[in-house]
Amino acid sequence: MTNDTTAAGDTATTAPAHGGSGAAPEILRYSAFTRTPEGGNPAGVVLDASGLDAAAMLAVAAEVGYSETAFVTAADQDARRFTVRYFSPLAEVAFCGHATVALAVALADRLGPGDLALDTPAGAIAVTTAADGAGAVRATLTSVPTRSRPALAGELDAALAALGWSASDLDPALPPHVAFGGNDHLVLAAASRERLAALDYDFDALAGVMRRYGWTTVDLVWRESPRRFHARNPFPVGGVVEDPATGAAAAAFGGYLRSLGLVTEPADIAVRQGEDMGRPSDLVIGVTPEDARVRVTGAAVLLPR
């Protein structure tokens, strides 16, 4: 099963509602962490899911076919506060960064730029939206407190076997960790850009490993410089081979860098993702040594009909 990024077409469509009011929800499609429809990670956005139960939201996410769809289940527009749930085509996830950015830009398009408060299964997420000089809206989410721990030997061995990697493929300066930024992600640093580019893994085997250990994605990274990284994010537990941009993993990765002591003063770190998929994405991680929370910034665009 592959990530259906080529299906990004209509800006709104309908899907049957189950267990709710019976009304078909409007589904918007945005691509996050990009300024052009050809890049980034597409996400579904349902601004009024108050009439949908979990089964209905899962059915909508499966129909949309993107790695995640964000559903607003309750809204206080005057306070700019929204309750949000996230679904992949296969399951609910506690938090999704790229769908949060897509949702935030969709809300800014309707309410105007400004601050937003999102109540998610992972906790409260503050988001700031602002228009740049060209009129594009960028969103900055502040994650829940991050944490990171060294990967256990059994975890690492199982993941490497499913990926078809060996220990020699890893950068010894960036040790394998399990990092949390709303969800758990295994972080593996490739020793070379070529190793990162040559991703060809056992989908079912890696999905099994991830379910066993509770990981949402495997965050594969390569360090170009101390402040610029390239990333790939297999997501078989969500029913997709790979995410072109993964905000939740970026937040967790920021916490990983902080835990390793690689950020000694407030810094913005660029992450380039999706390049090997033909959907280039640009994420900016803001890390402060004294703060376990991480800021993730990116633009999003409404996908054309």
Side-chain angles (χ1 to χ4, degrees):
M1 191 170 183
T2 59
N3 188 9
D4 189 11
T5 55
T6 59
D10 295 343
T11 58
T13 186
T14 59
H18 304 280
S21 64
E26 181 184 26
I27 304 166
L28 306 173
R29 289 173 166 83
Y30 278 75
S31 196
F33 298 112
T34 182
R35 293 175 179 273
T36 66
E38 296 76 27
N41 195 359
V45 174
V46 178
L47 295 177
D48 182 7
S50 58
L52 304 181
D53 63 12
M57 287 185 273
L58 182 61
V60 170
E63 177 175 312
V64 172
Y66 295 152
S67 55
E68 274 94 8
T69 295
F71 297 84
V72 176
T73 58
D76 182 343
Q77 292 195 9
D78 292 337
R80 297 174 69 98
R81 190 173 197 98
F82 303 87
T83 301
V84 186
R85 295 175 71 176
Y86 307 93
F87 285 81
S88 80
L90 295 183
E92 183 172 13
V93 296
F95 177 66
C96 173
H98 85 275
T100 295
V101 168
L103 170 63
V105 172
L107 290 170
D109 286 344
R110 286 150 183 81
L111 304 178
D115 294 340
L116 302 166
L118 306 182
D119 295 309
T120 79
I125 302 294
V127 185
T128 297
T129 59
D132 63 17
V137 175
R138 289 167 59 86
T140 298
L141 66 88
T142 300
S143 76
V144 298
T146 60
R147 58 180 182 266
S148 188
R149 62 159 176 87
L152 302 177
E155 295 173 326
L156 178 59
D157 290 346
L160 291 177
L163 287 167
W165 288 24
S166 67
S168 63
D169 289 319
L170 301 178
D171 182 346
L174 297 170
H177 266 224
V178 175
F180 175 85
N183 309 305
D184 282 329
H185 305 262
L186 176 67
V187 179
L188 297 178
S192 68
R193 182 67 180 89
E194 292 73 22
R195 172 68 275 184
L196 185 67
L199 180 62
D200 182 15
Y201 70 91
D202 186 323
F203 185 93
D204 292 333
L206 187 59
V209 172
M210 293 170 69
R211 290 190 188 98
R212 186 187 318 156
Y213 296 116
W215 304 329
T216 298
T217 74
V218 175
D219 191 22
L220 306 174
V221 301
W222 174 71
R223 180 166 57 180
E224 178 181 334
S225 73
R227 295 294 178 262
R228 182 172 174 83
F229 289 80
H230 295 252
R232 301 187 74 170
N233 282 88
F235 185 39
V237 293
V240 298
V241 171
E242 180 181 1
D243 258 353
T246 318
F253 183 63
Y256 165 85
L257 295 175
R258 176 181 174 273
S259 294
L260 291 180
L262 297 176
V263 178
T264 57
E265 59 185 10
D268 286 338
I269 297 159
V271 176
R272 180 74 164 178
Q273 191 177 335
E275 205 161 42
D276 296 300
M277 300 175 63
R279 293 197 67 89
S281 308
D282 291 296
L283 304 84
V284 178
I285 310 171
V287 182
T288 302
E290 298 79 18
D291 190 348
R293 299 172 300 169
V294 172
R295 301 175 308 282
V296 181
T297 299
V301 295
L302 181 67
L303 291 171
R305 185 176 297 277

